[in-house]
Amino acid sequence: MSLVGPLLLATFLFCVGVYGLIARRNAVLVLISVEMMLVSVNINLVAFQNLLFPAEAAVSGQMFALFIIAVAAAEAGVGLAIILNLFRNRASVNVDDVDLMRW
Amino acid sequence: MTGHDVVFLLVALLTGGAALLTVTSKNLFHAALFLAVTLAGIAGTFLVMRADFLALVQLIVYVGSVAVLFLFGLMLTRAPIGREALDGQNRGLALVVSGTLFVVLSTLIISTFGGERAAEVAGPSIADIGISIFADWVLPFELLSMLLLAALIGAILLARREDGESGEPMPERRIELSDEPVTHAGAQELPAGDSKPELTAGGDR
């Protein structure tokens, strides 16, 4: 199996996430884009682990991917809680409206 | 081009298409559902690369909980639907930035790993992963559990609605005790103190 395929897929997903991060205005959609960028990195880690170093004793690549999954889930929960709080206080989830601390 | 490559190509096309639809969809709910398809497709690529445990974790954590969490978030925030409401003015800037990044990264990847091929795809078994977690990765694992606990408590604290903290105060309700409908003029005379007999007359039943 060729190594370039997974790496290119991960790059594509990451760049799609960057596009969504910049283009979207809804805070929940921005969070979705961030999730997509986080997940795409996992493909890289698994590809390097299973295609290049399949016999490594400490399963580093998959372990890092597991940790990233857990941290991303925690980030999604806290992020959605912040967005809900924002919606309650401002009646809007538009990221352009949140300029209280802008200078 | 082996069978592995063909299967991977199909899964990658599905995943990439769903990802594109996620960031360009005009409907919020469709975007969240396409995100679920993207995450399931990534689980499929894990399966092709023989990372079974990770594929299952991906399905459970992402498709099962995070996508549902986003759906709940979208429903609770009642966001408007439509491209103009969802996308900002800087769509062109976003296209330029992400396109440039993709071109640079993919040329670098192809020039570095262009001819690299794995002879056989082999992953560690689930038993290996379990032993490795509790042999080599114990401290990060415990730290991760503390992080999850902190995130759980923090999310609950942030999202909880406290009384009197936000929103309007409760409207004051007045209970009329008399039978006969109170006319508008009678209601205006109430502060004058003349309507007290009516209340007692209505209340003795």
Side-chain angles (χ1 to χ4, degrees):
Chain A
M1 185 177 171
S2 144
L3 183 62
V4 181
L7 299 188
L8 281 185
L9 175 67
T11 311
F12 180 73
L13 287 183
F14 188 85
C15 293
V16 166
V18 169
Y19 170 81
L21 187 69
I22 302 176
R24 293 293 207 184
R25 291 166 77 200
N26 189 308
V28 183
L29 292 178
V30 171
L31 206 58
I32 284 178
S33 304
V34 173
E35 285 294 319
M36 200 182 291
M37 290 161 68
L38 278 170
V39 170
S40 72
V41 176
N42 284 346
I43 301 179
N44 267 0
L45 290 171
V46 174
F48 281 123
Q49 160 91 55
N50 280 12
L51 302 185
L52 281 191
F53 306 104
E56 199 212 355
V59 202
S60 311
Q62 296 205 23
M63 218 46 78
F64 270 65
L66 270 180
F67 287 157
I68 288 177
I69 285 177
V71 171
E75 174 256 337
V78 175
L80 269 178
I82 291 175
I83 289 175
L84 280 185
N85 226 339
L86 178 75
F87 178 73
R88 200 176 296 145
N89 287 327
R90 296 237 158 171
S92 156
V93 286
N94 193 336
V95 288
D96 294 337
D97 291 347
V98 190
D99 51 2
L100 189 66
M101 293 175 74
R102 181 190 280 175
W103 56 283
Chain B
M1 199 138 171
T2 60
H4 255 109
D5 284 326
V6 175
V7 176
F8 181 81
L9 194 64
L10 291 178
V11 178
L13 282 179
L14 172 77
T15 311
L20 270 184
L21 286 172
T22 304
V23 294
T24 55
S25 162
K26 291 177 191 154
N27 191 322
L28 284 168
F29 295 96
H30 294 176
L33 293 177
F34 280 127
L35 175 77
V37 175
T38 310
L39 298 172
I42 290 174
T45 63
F46 287 167
L47 272 185
V48 176
M49 289 190 281
R50 294 265 175 87
D52 315 341
F53 179 64
L54 215 55
L56 288 180
V57 169
Q58 170 93 10
L59 270 185
I60 292 172
V61 173
Y62 270 111
V63 185
S65 72
V66 171
V68 177
L69 199 65
F70 279 126
L71 276 176
F72 270 101
L74 287 176
M75 283 190 248
L76 285 175
T77 51
R78 292 198 301 267
I81 285 175
R83 181 131 196 187
E84 266 52 53
L86 292 184
D87 283 7
Q89 306 302 322
N90 38 17
R91 206 182 304 159
L93 171 73
L95 208 57
V96 169
V97 169
S98 59
T100 314
L101 190 62
F102 179 68
V103 169
V104 169
L105 282 179
S106 52
T107 48
L108 279 178
I109 284 173
I110 290 177
S111 70
T112 310
F113 297 107
E116 198 97 27
R117 294 190 66 84
E120 97 279 27
V121 183
S125 68
I126 297 181
D128 291 341
I129 293 177
I131 289 174
S132 178
I133 283 182
F134 290 103
D136 301 320
W137 301 92
V138 179
L139 189 61
F141 184 74
E142 299 293 337
L143 279 179
L144 191 66
S145 63
M146 288 304 295
L147 172 78
L148 279 179
L149 180 67
L152 181 72
I153 295 175
I156 291 174
L157 271 181
L158 276 175
R160 195 179 55 167
R161 177 196 289 274
E162 290 181 18
D163 280 348
E165 186 198 37
S166 64
E168 306 90 327
M170 292 276 287
E172 259 185 67
R173 262 173 293 173
R174 250 175 47 196
I175 299 170
E176 306 287 345
L177 290 178
S178 60
D179 274 336
E180 52 267 24
V182 182
T183 61
H184 197 65
Q188 274 186 341
E189 282 172 12
L190 204 73
D194 222 351
S195 59
K196 253 206 156 93
E198 281 180 23
L199 288 180
T200 53
D204 63 355
R205 271 192 291 163

